[in-house]
Amino acid sequence: DAKTTQPTSMDCAEGRAANLPCNHSTISGNEYVYWYRQIHSQGPQYIIHGLKNNETNEMASLIITEDRKSSTLILPHATLRDTAVYYCIVRVAWSTLTFGKGTMLLVSP
Amino acid sequence: GAVVSQHPSWVICKSGTSVKIECRSLDFQATTMFWYRQFPKQSLMLMATSNEGSKATYEQGVEKDKFLINHASLTLSTLTVTSAHPEDSSFYICSATKTGIQETQYFGPGTRLLVL
């Protein structure tokens, strides 16, 4: 699976949009971009995934660049409960997940 | 929904004893379940992949005789840490994929193990 690069940490004010970037320049054509998050002392939570089109669900939006070498996870109105480590993972369907270090997002009042 | 539960949520045991952790998919059938381990301030590391009715596949460096995995039904997988030692103290997390839709893994809440 392709390697991803994420900032170590980010800050966001409550109520503002949180934009979390992810670089995956070696992604191959059949690899999906997945986002999970892990709140402290809990199991990871699935957020969203996509192949090449932008995706939106009740939790977040995923914007994938046209060349698919990077993506951005957008939390439109961050709350304190969105404070977590966010993992960007690229993988082919059916393969295992490999977790990197992720981005620690701190949402403050 | 896709809910995965784990039991117990935390356990303290003496060195040398065995501990069993259960992972259940509550509202779906899971052909495949995964077991991860997470040490403090580190990321999740995959230990093994468990398929219903067959032997688990272990990642390199994970002792299959120490971490016994049983996946006897489509809704239950168990991980038994045998002869536990303090270095086995960790956060153990399972995940499951829906039968026939093996794209998204859904994770349990984790089990914190402390071996004294």
Side-chain angles (χ1 to χ4, degrees):
Chain A
D1 292 333
K3 181 179 170 59
T4 62
T5 304
Q6 298 178 252
T8 303
S9 63
M10 293 184 65
D11 294 327
C12 179
E14 189 178 20
R16 296 295 194 111
N19 298 285
L20 292 93
C22 179
N23 286 322
H24 31 79
S25 58
T26 60
I27 192 170
S28 59
N30 61 346
E31 287 185 307
Y32 290 77
V33 180
Y34 276 78
W35 284 85
Y36 282 82
R37 72 179 181 184
Q38 186 177 25
I39 295 169
H40 183 62
S41 294
Q42 296 183 23
Q45 179 188 21
Y46 166 76
I47 302 173
I48 199 167
H49 76 280
L51 184 60
K52 47 186 172 182
N53 297 324
N54 297 337
E55 302 287 344
T56 296
N57 62 22
E58 65 278 4
M59 288 184 69
S61 295
L62 173 60
I63 308 298
I64 303 174
T65 58
E66 195 167 337
D67 63 7
R68 302 186 71 236
K69 292 186 177 182
S70 66
S71 60
T72 301
L73 178 74
I74 301 172
L75 307 178
H77 305 287
T79 70
L80 299 180
R81 286 178 291 182
D82 292 322
T83 292
V85 178
Y86 286 77
Y87 297 99
C88 169
I89 301 168
V90 294
R91 64 185 277 256
V92 296
W94 313 88
S95 72
T96 59
L97 289 172
T98 301
F99 286 83
K101 296 185 178 181
T103 296
M104 175 65 218
L105 174 68
L106 176 62
V107 182
S108 50
Chain B
V3 181
V4 177
S5 70
Q6 283 185 239
H7 178 79
S9 56
W10 60 271
V11 57
I12 301 173
C13 70
K14 293 182 178 180
S15 186
T17 61
S18 295
V19 175
K20 180 186 283 189
I21 302 170
E22 293 184 348
C23 176
R24 294 181 186 274
S25 56
L26 297 185
D27 54 358
F28 66 98
Q29 293 186 327
T31 306
T32 305
M33 289 183 170
F34 304 85
W35 287 96
Y36 295 80
R37 180 169 52 181
Q38 186 175 33
F39 293 107
K41 299 186 188 277
Q42 295 187 23
S43 192
L44 283 79
M45 295 296 295
L46 179 65
M47 299 175 66
T49 302
S50 165
N51 290 296
E52 186 262 339
S54 64
K55 291 184 179 180
T57 302
Y58 291 80
E59 295 299 301
Q60 193 172 10
V62 178
E63 301 175 54
K64 62 179 182 180
D65 294 330
K66 180 170 182 60
F67 299 99
L68 301 179
I69 292 172
N70 183 279
H71 191 164
S73 78
L74 286 173
T75 59
L76 173 64
S77 176
T78 61
L79 168 69
T80 301
V81 183
T82 62
S83 186
H85 291 284
E87 57 266 29
D88 298 323
S89 298
S90 188
F91 192 45
Y92 291 86
I93 308 167
C94 72
S95 70
T97 55
K98 292 183 178 181
T99 298
I101 309 176
Q102 293 190 21
E103 286 194 1
T104 302
Q105 288 186 32
Y106 299 93
F107 285 81
T111 296
R112 193 161 299 280
L113 170 64
L114 176 61
V115 185
L116 301 176

